[in-house]
């Protein structure tokens, strides 16, 4: 399947060429013809599969082939869970719609409402919004949703996780009954299925990535590390691997701040991205990360939704998420659209249960590696984890910690299955730092 077979307007074909896309991704090949045919679509597609273009391109095509009959009210509504995702969809509309006369607005909370009101009053074709601020605007009588022809619910699973269900219902009540609906979700809980049943009419189901399966292109690793050693280990890997762009996940906002401070102390440029940061600080952190002035971006799960950075090479789970599905979302930040990426999880002793849950969900065993020169603190009596060397403090960045004479790196056991290690070829991506233990 090539883009030229999709029947898209020349203006959109030029945009596709400008973006450097040669072939549609599987979700694009399947969804674009259905959306153009006016069908409702239920798509299971994770982030990184090209799903944004899969709906943005046919939305633009719809506007081109069906000119507005009058009025100023928006014709297409894209509902998203986070500001970052809203901004990213907005960027896609700009990129693909450069040669199309289309007016769009990106609407989210946490910033002044007045410029958004002005924007809406001037007239819109596409509105991309998080539910809360959208309802503020309709509540103030500024925004009329009665002319919506197509509704897109993007990352519907995350919207429900974030408690947006009541808001979504309030938005739906304001939409005309006759409209086309597109729903995208990475996972399909019973709640999501319920929402889809109420929302979609005779939908086409498109299932791209097998459900809850981590992207095959992501090289996944786990490293067992004590909590106290993780910051030093992370700094060591970033410096030693000469990694330029690393996205690190922590479970909490405070954890993100603390880790940033520590990395900065170790001489690495780092910024935190989480919900307590002002919109300005979040935009600045993201811009710095994209232009290379921030080497390590430390984010919480919710804040990281919607971050789109092409070919992000390294994702680190500084702490494993306690919701296994979040692991899939996190590692979806790398290995996007055909690029190979790697995701490394630093797993403390009390996180091994989470690792097991994740492995069950993705139906894969994540290989465990050791970093040469780093050792796991002994947990007396735990089979396979004994290490008679004293734990050493994490080293300062830039220096490789030497192995003490006669105490070469020891295998790390895994759930009591530790044992002698056959040396294996070093993982290329860790630049000789690590070796597999099973
Ligand atoms: P998404 O899943 O929408 O977040 O898209 C992930 C990334 O894939 C974005 O950086 C897009 O620019 C890129 N992308 C989308 N479609 C294609 C394509 N057909 N070929 C190559 N890259 C693409």
């Amino acid at each position: 399947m090539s883009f030229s077979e999709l029947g898209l307007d020349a203006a959109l074909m030029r945009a596709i060429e400008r973006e450097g896309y040669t072939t549609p991704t599987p979700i694009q090949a399947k969804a674009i013809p259905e959306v153009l045919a006016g069908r409702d679509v239920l798509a299971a597609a994770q982030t990184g599969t090209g799903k944004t273009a899969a709906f943005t391109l046919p939305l633009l095509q719809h506007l081109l082939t069906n000119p507005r009959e009058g009025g100023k009210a928006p014709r297409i509504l894209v509902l998203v869970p986070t500001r970052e995702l809203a901004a990213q969809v907005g960027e896609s509309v700009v990129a693909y719609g450069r040669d199309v006369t289309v007016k769009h607005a990106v609407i989210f909370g946490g910033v002044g409402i007045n410029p958004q009101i002005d924007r809406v009053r001037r007239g819109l074709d596409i509105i991309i919004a998080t539910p809360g601020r959208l309802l503020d605007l309709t509540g103030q009588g500024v925004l009329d949703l009665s002319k919506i022809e197509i509704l897109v619910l993007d990352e519907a699973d995350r919207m429900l996780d974030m408690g947006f269900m009541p808001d979504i219902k309030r938005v739906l009540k304001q939409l005309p009954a006759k409209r086309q609906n597109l729903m995208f979700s990475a996972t399909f809980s019973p709640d999501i299925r319920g929402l889809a049943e109420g929302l979609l009419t005779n939908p086409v189901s498109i299932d791209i990535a097998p459900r809850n399966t981590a992207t095959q292109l992501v090289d996944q690793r786990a490293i067992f590390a004590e909590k106290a050693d993780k910051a030093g280990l992370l700094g060591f890997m970033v410096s030693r691997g000469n990694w330029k762009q690393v996205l690190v996940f922590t479970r909490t906002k405070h954890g993100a701040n603390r880790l940033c401070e520590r990395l900065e102390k170790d001489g690495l440029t780092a910024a935190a991205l989480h919900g307590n940061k002002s919109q300005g600080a979040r935009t600045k952190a993201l811009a710095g990360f994209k232009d290379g002035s921030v080497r390590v971006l430390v984010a919480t799960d919710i804040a990281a939704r919607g971050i789109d950075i092409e070919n992000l090479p390294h994702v680190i789970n500084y702490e494993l998420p306690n919701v296994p599905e979040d692991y899939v979302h996190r590692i979806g930040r790398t290995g996007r659209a055909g690029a190979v990426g790697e995701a490394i999880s630093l797993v403390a002793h009390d996180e091994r249960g989470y690792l097991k849950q994740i492995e069950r969900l993705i139906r894969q065993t994540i290989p465990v590696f050791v970093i040469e020169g780093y050792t796991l603190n002994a947990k007396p009596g735990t089979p396979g984890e004994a290490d008679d060397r004293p734990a050493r403090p994490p080293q300062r960045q830039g220096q490789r910690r030497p192995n003490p004479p006669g105490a070469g790196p020891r295998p790390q056991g895994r759930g009591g299955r530790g044992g002698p290690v056959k040396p294996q070829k070093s993982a290329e991506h860790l630049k000789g730092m690590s070796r597999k233990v099973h």
Side-chain angles (χ1 to χ4, degrees):
M1 163 79 74
S2 72
F3 276 112
S4 56
E5 291 167 66
L6 293 172
L8 295 169
D9 190 273
L12 300 176
M13 292 300 289
R14 280 197 297 281
I16 290 166
E17 202 173 313
R18 260 196 316 266
E19 292 298 308
Y21 304 163
T22 48
T23 35
T25 63
I27 180 80
Q28 291 162 4
K30 290 198 175 159
I32 292 174
E34 303 291 355
V35 182
L36 290 178
R39 300 279 311 264
D40 277 12
V41 170
L42 176 61
Q46 290 166 11
T47 236
T49 54
K51 71 178 166 64
T52 315
F55 63 80
T56 308
L57 288 168
L59 293 183
L60 292 168
Q61 180 71 44
H62 173 85
L63 294 176
L64 279 165
T65 37
N66 304 284
R68 175 187 286 280
E69 282 169 3
K72 285 184 175 179
R75 302 172 60 194
I76 292 172
L77 170 62
V78 184
L79 267 187
V80 293
T82 61
R83 329 163 180 203
E84 280 79 15
L85 187 58
Q88 185 195 321
V89 174
E91 279 164 25
S92 293
V93 169
V94 172
Y96 307 134
R98 199 172 298 167
D99 298 345
V100 182
T101 320
V102 57
K103 289 187 192 158
H104 82 283
V106 178
I107 302 288
F108 46 72
V111 294
I113 196 166
N114 289 334
Q116 296 178 349
I117 292 177
D118 289 347
R119 186 75 202 81
V120 170
R121 287 210 167 114
R122 272 183 269 137
L124 288 176
D125 298 302
I126 305 181
I127 184 158
I128 302 146
T130 52
R133 181 54 67 89
L134 187 80
L135 287 167
D136 284 347
L137 290 170
T138 58
Q140 292 190 25
V142 176
L143 178 64
D144 168 17
L145 296 179
S146 70
K147 302 290 183 296
I148 293 294
E149 296 159 33
I150 307 179
L151 167 71
V152 182
L153 268 191
D154 194 12
E155 302 202 350
D157 49 346
R158 179 53 53 136
M159 287 217 241
L160 296 199
D161 286 352
M162 290 171 71
F164 283 138
M165 191 62 173
D167 282 355
I168 292 174
K169 284 190 175 150
R170 286 170 63 204
V171 172
L172 293 179
K173 279 197 193 123
Q174 302 185 38
L175 303 182
K178 191 177 165 298
R179 55 168 204 268
Q180 186 180 1
N181 301 290
L182 316 177
M183 186 166 147
F184 291 80
S185 190
T187 54
F188 281 85
S189 63
D191 283 349
I192 288 286
R193 296 219 169 265
L195 177 63
E197 269 164 35
L199 185 72
L200 306 170
T201 313
N202 188 21
V204 189
S205 282
I206 299 175
D207 200 346
I208 291 305
R211 211 182 313 154
N212 296 343
T213 298
T215 319
Q216 296 303 315
L217 282 163
V218 179
D219 198 357
Q220 299 169 67
R221 322 257 142 180
I223 293 170
F224 291 156
E226 285 305 320
K227 276 196 181 82
D229 284 345
K230 282 185 177 183
L233 178 55
L234 175 64
F236 173 71
M237 290 195 295
V238 173
S239 311
R240 171 99 179 120
N242 201 18
W243 296 347
K244 302 285 186 228
Q245 207 181 32
V246 191
L247 178 60
V248 177
F249 285 93
T250 56
R251 264 207 301 267
T252 65
K253 297 165 192 172
H254 288 307
N257 287 342
R258 266 200 310 274
L259 179 59
C260 262
E261 281 165 22
R262 166 65 197 263
L263 291 170
E264 292 266 342
K265 259 197 210 120
D266 282 354
L268 295 167
T269 50
L273 189 78
H274 56 65
N276 282 3
K277 296 264 169 187
S278 68
Q279 187 56 34
R282 286 155 69 137
T283 308
K284 190 166 161 245
L286 205 51
F289 190 54
K290 283 189 180 180
D291 72 21
S293 55
V294 170
R295 203 162 159 188
V296 187
L297 187 67
V298 186
T300 55
D301 288 289
I302 288 179
R305 279 309 276 243
I307 296 177
D308 175 36
I309 293 145
E310 276 174 63
N311 304 329
L312 187 59
H314 311 282
V315 167
I316 306 291
N317 293 309
Y318 186 76
E319 286 144 343
L320 282 180
N322 45 13
V323 177
E325 280 83 3
D326 280 345
Y327 176 85
V328 180
H329 294 307
R330 288 177 176 192
I331 74 164
R333 307 279 129 203
T334 181
R336 307 192 110 194
V340 178
E342 70 171 349
I344 299 176
S345 301
L346 305 185
V347 184
H349 192 75
D350 62 2
E351 294 175 293
R352 293 189 188 193
Y354 297 146
L355 184 64
K356 287 225 168 68
Q357 284 175 19
I358 290 164
E359 290 181 328
R360 260 200 301 277
L361 176 77
I362 63 174
R363 297 198 197 96
Q364 288 175 40
T365 304
I366 300 171
V368 177
F369 274 65
V370 286
I371 298 290
E372 303 282 350
Y374 264 86
T375 174
L376 188 74
N377 274 345
K379 278 272 179 301
T382 313
E385 284 167 34
D387 189 327
D388 48 10
R389 287 169 293 162
R392 287 163 295 182
Q395 70 164 48
R396 299 197 64 75
Q397 67 103 10
Q399 309 165 301
R400 184 156 182 208
R401 191 193 330 232
N403 295 328
R410 302 266 308 248
Q412 286 183 318
R414 187 164 201 219
R417 283 184 283 126
V421 178
K422 289 198 190 81
Q424 300 204 358
K425 212 174 134 214
S426 289
E428 164 61 22
H429 59 282
L430 283 176
K431 303 247 173 1
M433 279 191 280
S434 74
R435 62 199 179 86
K436 196 174 178 179
V437 290
H438 78 105

